[in-house]
Amino acid sequence: MPTWEDGVVDDDVDVAAETPTEVGPQAREDRAEDGQATTVLPAADETEPAGESSDAGAADPEPPLRGRGPAGLVALLVVTVLLLAAAITAGVFWANGAAKQADRENALSAARQTAVNLTTIDFNHAEDDVRRVLDGSTGDFGGLFTQNIDSYVGVVKDGEVVTTGEVTEAGVEKYDGDTASAVVAVRTTVRNKTVPNGEQRFYRLVEQMEKHDGRWLVSRVEFVP
């Protein structure tokens, strides 16, 4: 501090050196060894406001992936249900088609067996052979065969007839689920009193089939050229 002695100011006293200097946030004074004040700027980290990061201007995080919300789950559920419905529909169609094909095969198999039964007769057991034919028949054919069974067995026995039939070709012409029409080609070997050594004969039959209680029976037989 300056001193006043007898009203005279001591000029040797450095007023600036004795006056305190306020050091704020913008600058501060350091004193060198020679007594001169030196202004020192604050470091960069000292001027940065507290609580603010250098990454403050960075972009916001990417939004969540699309389709992960409720709308995406609903869409996934709808697609799953549609795929399941398509699979079930395809399975039903396949099952129905397979069932119809199997039923056609059953009708054809019954027609083939009827043709073999009609052309395979042995006079030694004619009654059993005729009953086998009747067991697979219905409708007009079954009725006519039943009415003439005795005369038919008598002819077979009197002529000592032995025939053996074999199906060579067969196919279904029409099928509607309950009725079917089949064409069957048969090769037979016939022996009787007139032809003791046997001879081959060929027949072509058109058989009308009907399904009763799940079983295919012949209702009509026609021999065609």
Side-chain angles (χ1 to χ4, degrees):
M1 297 290 294
T3 59
W4 287 266
E5 294 180 2
D6 300 330
V8 178
V9 178
D10 189 354
D11 294 334
D12 294 333
V13 178
D14 190 347
V15 177
E18 293 294 328
T19 303
T21 301
E22 212 176 314
V23 179
Q26 302 297 324
R28 69 173 182 268
E29 291 182 351
D30 290 341
R31 296 183 179 277
E33 293 179 358
D34 56 2
Q36 298 295 324
T38 302
T39 301
V40 180
L41 296 177
D45 56 353
E46 293 180 358
T47 62
E48 185 175 356
E52 293 188 6
S53 173
S54 60
D55 295 334
D60 293 336
E62 294 185 0
L65 296 177
R66 295 180 180 178
R68 295 294 181 87
L73 294 177
V74 171
L76 180 60
L77 179 60
V78 170
V79 171
T80 303
V81 171
L82 290 177
L83 290 176
L84 180 60
I88 292 175
T89 301
V92 170
F93 276 113
W94 179 86
N96 287 341
K100 288 182 178 179
Q101 183 60 33
D103 199 37
R104 285 173 62 97
E105 292 296 330
N106 289 338
L108 182 59
S109 177
R112 291 169 63 96
Q113 188 60 53
T114 296
V116 170
N117 293 343
L118 280 172
T119 57
T120 303
I121 301 291
D122 190 328
F123 73 95
N124 293 303
H125 41 76
E127 291 86 357
D128 293 337
D129 294 340
V130 171
R131 289 194 186 94
R132 185 169 60 247
V133 174
L134 285 174
D135 183 59
S137 65
T138 188
D140 294 340
F141 179 75
L144 290 173
F145 216 86
T146 301
Q147 293 176 7
N148 297 281
I149 185 172
D150 292 335
S151 59
Y152 182 75
V153 170
V155 170
V156 170
K157 287 186 174 183
D158 291 343
E160 297 182 359
V161 177
V162 177
T163 65
T164 304
E166 178 186 2
V167 174
T168 58
E169 290 183 73
V172 174
E173 279 190 322
K174 297 179 182 179
Y175 168 84
D176 67 3
D178 292 322
T179 62
S181 177
V183 179
V184 184
V186 183
R187 178 177 60 229
T188 65
T189 301
V190 179
R191 294 198 313 269
N192 52 36
K193 290 181 178 180
T194 306
V195 189
N197 295 326
E199 65 179 14
Q200 283 194 342
R201 299 178 184 176
F202 297 88
Y203 301 99
R204 194 162 173 261
L205 293 73
V206 176
E207 302 180 39
Q208 302 300 324
M209 310 296 295
E210 295 180 5
K211 185 163 62 174
H212 292 273
D213 297 328
R215 185 183 176 204
W216 286 98
L217 306 174
V218 59
S219 62
R220 183 178 178 183
V221 177
E222 182 181 0
F223 286 85
V224 296

